[in-house]
Amino acid sequence: MVSEAEKAQFFVILKKLSEAVGVSGHEFEVKKVVIEEISDVVDEWRVDSLGNIIALKKGGGNGPKIMISAHMDEIGLMVTHIDKRGFLRFTGVGSWNERILPGQRVIVCAGDVKVRGVIGAKPPHLMTPEEKKQVIEMKKLFIDIGATSSDEVKELGIKVGSIAVLDREVVRLGGTDRVTGKAFDNRVGVTSLIFALKLLSDVEHEAEVYSVFTVQEEIGLKGATVSAFAVKPDVGIAIDVTTANDIPEVDEKDWVTELGKGPAIKVMDKGNISHPKLRELLIKIAEEEKIPYQLEVLPGGATDAAAIMVSREGVPVATISIPCRYIHSPIEVLDLKDAVYASKLLAAFVKKLSKDHIKRFSML
């Protein structure tokens, strides 16, 4: 069961993380929140040269080394040009569906200064009938911050290379356990890992637990690649979102996962196939702990597990996924129960993993 107190505590952390700005390569605000939340539940932590947070919770000695990875970064926008009237042209950081961008409010960051703006486009009443049928390309969009000249923009500290995110608050939907906001990919995974560490704060376990909050996943799993090399884990777990396509206009066979049915234990995505014995261990633990779960086969996408798997001599990996609707949009939707259950599954896995399990992973 997931208690109301657990959901409330989880929501508070998720809201702080989601509303922070953390575009790939610029995860500074998110890192501050993570460090604040984990400092009293891990034995030590450090930030590596790429910006990953690597936190260690020590085990009982001579136990297996687990790397649990949750990426901190979100997709965003980057300024490419400032015209003489103060409009900003931009490109995407990470993978965007361009059809959602026109008409959005944004926050443009210039150091510690945040400037609100809107994404504008050619007005519809000036479009030809053919143009109205088409998705407006990103190169034809611009950000309007209310400036009247390029000098005004520069006085604010905004320049080529400044980053922007969509402007959204995390809120509950209709007083339910469903919540919506931006950057749940993957701030909910980050929150679930933090919450799991809090569940483990007074628990003894054999394993050495390396919780790694990675950077630059959205542009090619960069943070997981270097941190896995440094940690040298015996086993790796990624915690990330997956698509919940349980909505109108999508056939049930294409749903992948559903909200409210528990976290998903990934079988395969475009980046890797979960180690079969590790996957079965997660299933066994979920059933023992009475944690609802789903099995996930995702046609596209990848997680940090794909990078951890091929580190050094190879690492058995699996992914625990949190179902999420409308991924890579400012209105992502998830169920708090699924996310808390993901934390409980992670914590149970840590408590039960032993050296014997690691040996079995390499047996025929």
Side-chain angles (χ1 to χ4, degrees):
M1 291 288 292
V2 174
S3 70
E4 292 300 320
E6 288 172 325
K7 287 183 287 188
Q9 183 184 6
F10 194 99
F11 178 78
V12 169
I13 302 170
L14 175 62
K15 185 175 174 67
K16 283 195 293 184
L17 285 165
S18 174
E19 293 175 4
V21 174
V23 177
S24 301
H26 301 77
E27 299 91 349
F28 313 111
E29 285 188 13
V30 183
K31 280 189 271 194
K32 288 179 182 177
V33 177
V34 171
I35 291 167
E36 177 185 291
E37 291 291 340
I38 68 170
S39 292
D40 61 348
V41 291
V42 298
D43 293 298
E44 57 189 67
W45 61 267
R46 64 184 178 88
V47 179
D48 70 13
S49 58
L50 206 63
N52 299 300
I53 300 171
I54 302 175
L56 171 62
K57 187 176 187 299
K58 295 178 181 177
N62 199 35
K65 190 186 293 186
I66 309 172
M67 175 175 168
I68 307 173
S69 180
H71 75 87
M72 297 183 287
D73 58 315
E74 65 185 292
I75 62 172
L77 308 171
M78 182 176 287
V79 176
T80 59
H81 177 72
I82 304 167
D83 75 17
K84 63 183 181 181
R85 294 183 299 159
F87 293 103
L88 316 179
R89 297 287 183 167
F90 60 89
T91 190
V93 181
S95 176
W96 279 99
N97 182 344
E98 294 176 330
R99 72 180 68 243
I100 71 170
L101 290 172
Q104 296 286 352
R105 283 178 23 178
V106 297
I107 296 173
V108 185
C109 298
D112 293 331
V113 177
K114 293 181 179 179
V115 180
R116 279 193 159 84
V118 296
I119 297 178
K122 183 180 180 179
H125 54 278
L126 296 182
M127 292 180 177
T128 66
E130 190 59 34
E131 284 177 322
K132 290 180 180 179
K133 298 176 185 177
Q134 298 170 354
V135 175
I136 304 173
E137 296 177 275
M138 195 179 292
K139 66 182 181 181
K140 294 183 178 180
L141 301 173
F142 51 85
I143 297 173
D144 184 349
I145 62 168
T148 59
S149 69
S150 59
D151 288 339
E152 282 187 33
V153 175
K154 290 171 185 174
E155 285 173 9
L156 292 169
I158 297 171
K159 56 191 174 183
V160 170
S162 292
I163 54 101
V165 296
L166 301 189
D167 184 8
R168 278 296 187 281
E169 178 187 3
V170 176
V171 295
R172 285 181 182 253
L173 293 176
T176 69
D177 292 331
R178 307 278 168 94
V179 298
T180 183
K182 76 166 182 69
F184 287 174
D185 180 9
N186 182 40
R187 304 293 160 67
V188 68
V190 173
T191 308
S192 287
L193 178 48
I194 290 169
F195 203 79
L197 288 171
K198 292 179 184 292
L199 293 174
L200 289 165
S201 60
D202 296 318
V203 175
E204 293 185 359
H205 47 82
E206 184 180 330
E208 300 279 294
V209 183
Y210 285 83
S211 298
V212 184
F213 301 89
T214 60
V215 298
Q216 301 190 45
E217 187 266 1
E218 296 289 359
I219 60 167
L221 314 181
K222 302 297 192 294
T225 300
V226 299
S227 55
F229 188 89
V231 170
K232 297 183 280 190
D234 296 311
V235 63
I237 300 288
I239 181 157
D240 207 332
V241 294
T242 190
T243 56
N245 302 320
D246 55 336
I247 58 174
E249 303 300 320
V250 178
D251 289 339
E252 186 174 347
K253 65 181 176 58
D254 297 321
W255 284 359
V256 182
T257 64
E258 300 177 62
L259 293 192
K261 297 294 181 70
I265 298 171
K266 191 185 294 288
V267 179
M268 181 181 76
D269 61 21
K270 196 173 181 180
N272 77 286
I273 298 170
S274 296
H275 192 288
K277 291 181 180 178
L278 178 53
R279 184 183 73 238
E280 290 304 313
L281 178 59
L282 285 168
I283 291 170
K284 181 174 182 287
I285 291 171
E287 291 175 348
E288 288 173 349
E289 298 291 322
K290 295 182 171 50
I291 295 171
Y293 69 91
Q294 309 174 63
L295 293 177
E296 170 205 355
V297 176
L298 185 65
T303 71
D304 280 347
I308 300 169
M309 180 181 69
V310 294
S311 182
R312 294 183 181 264
E313 298 91 351
V315 181
V317 297
T319 299
I320 297 172
S321 302
I322 299 161
C324 188
R325 292 177 183 160
Y326 325 122
I327 290 174
H328 284 199
S329 83
I331 54 156
E332 295 171 343
V333 173
L334 59 83
D335 191 305
L336 288 171
K337 295 190 298 295
D338 295 337
V340 176
Y341 273 130
S343 300
K344 290 176 180 281
L345 179 55
L346 263 181
F349 174 76
V350 167
K351 286 188 284 186
K352 296 189 178 188
L353 189 70
S354 68
K355 275 284 190 183
D356 287 340
H357 289 117
I358 303 300
K359 291 176 184 176
R360 289 176 208 155
F361 293 155
S362 59
M363 291 179 180
L364 294 176

